[in-house]
Amino acid sequence: MIKVDPNLCIGCRSCSNVCPSQNILRSDSEGIRRILWKRCREECDLCVEFCPAKALTLVPFDESVSEPQLSFDLVSCRICGSRYAPEPMLSRIEAAVPPDSQRDPEGREWIRVCPACRLRAEAQRAAREGVSGRRGEALRRGK
Amino acid sequence: MTVYVDINRCIGCRSCEVACQRVHGGSGHVRVSFVEGLASVPIFCHHCEEAFCAAACFSGALHKEGDRTAFDVDKCTGCGLCALACPFGVVWTEKIAHKCDLCWGRTEPACVATCPANALSTDGEPPSRQSQVRAGRAGASGCLR
């Protein structure tokens, strides 16, 4: 069965996706992601191998040990307010992206904006810069 | 190869979205966004020189291959880090990740081949001139394409 280090797990979807026996249950509801690692007798260690945070280890089956369960508050998008990602995943992105690339042309910390709003912002930028003639003027006035 | 967009020509018909879905088994990698009722803009992967999606990918599924940000489907676990690392919201994770692959293996990206307004091109030439060249070539070879 699986042992989880709650200090390392980032709340991503890797282990629940790769488990061939559906022993790892993940749900997103009401702004919270919950992950439950069911007690399993499998010898397979795909989840261990594919954990980006190295948070999982395979331990001998033991019925007396409770099933590990973690929950993560999903962070709210700074534009639309939708709950889109666990905090540890965003922190990990912030660690991977150079600090001088973490603000968009409007000065917003784009990592703290949900992907759907990032796409909308990119379309607005492209339209203001790329459209010529009267439509373009109207777009730039509307900024 | 790069796909250039001439926003002034885009008519917002979403043919590029449909063409992309058709060649990628239903998961499209381009979104046409409508801005303030004045412009339509197809948005897709920029194949960034410094690709944060590839930097965030722990399994090596997303990686640079020359100018292209390539995707190895067999290595993807669908963790979702790449989608959060893309500044433009053009990497998606459903069961696994998907994004524009520039229609690798095809002679021309399906969106470019399909765009009826000549808003998309691979050479960055003004599309009107480009269509003239194409028409000329078609005439010379005796076929209408």
Side-chain angles (χ1 to χ4, degrees), chain A residues 79-96:
Chain A
I79 294 181
C80 72
S82 72
R83 313 279 295 264
Y84 71 105
E87 175 58 40
M89 287 185 79
L90 296 182
S91 307
R92 188 174 161 121
I93 304 297
E94 282 168 340

Side-chain angles (χ1 to χ4, degrees), chain A residues 97-113:
Chain A
V97 174
D100 58 356
S101 300
Q102 296 196 11
R103 289 191 186 263
D104 66 16
E106 283 79 37
R108 270 187 305 255
E109 291 170 77
W110 58 265
I111 296 168
R112 300 287 159 177
V113 171

Side-chain angles (χ1 to χ4, degrees), chain B residues 27-50:
Chain B
S27 305
H29 319 317
V30 52
R31 294 283 182 282
V32 177
S33 282
F34 296 87
V35 182
E36 293 164 37
L38 288 164
S40 51
V41 193
I43 302 282
F44 45 87
C45 176
H46 295 312
H47 296 269
C48 304
E49 204 170 289
E50 190 183 6

Side-chain angles (χ1 to χ4, degrees), chain A residues 10-13 28 33 74-77 82-97 101-102 109-116 118, chain B residues 52-57 62 78-93 97-98:
Chain A
I10 58 171
C12 81
R13 321 192 309 177
D28 288 357
R33 172 168 296 176
L74 297 173
V75 175
S76 301
C77 166
S82 72
R83 313 279 295 264
Y84 71 105
E87 175 58 40
M89 287 185 79
L90 296 182
S91 307
R92 188 174 161 121
I93 304 297
E94 282 168 340
V97 174
S101 300
Q102 296 196 11
E109 291 170 77
W110 58 265
I111 296 168
R112 300 287 159 177
V113 171
C114 78
R118 293 178 199 171
Chain B
F52 302 144
C53 58
C57 179
L62 280 164
C79 70
L81 284 165
C82 54
L84 296 175
C86 173
F88 312 110
V90 287
V91 181
W92 295 271
T93 329
H98 65 93

Side-chain angles (χ1 to χ4, degrees), chain B residues 1-2 85 127:
Chain B
M1 182 169 35
T2 307

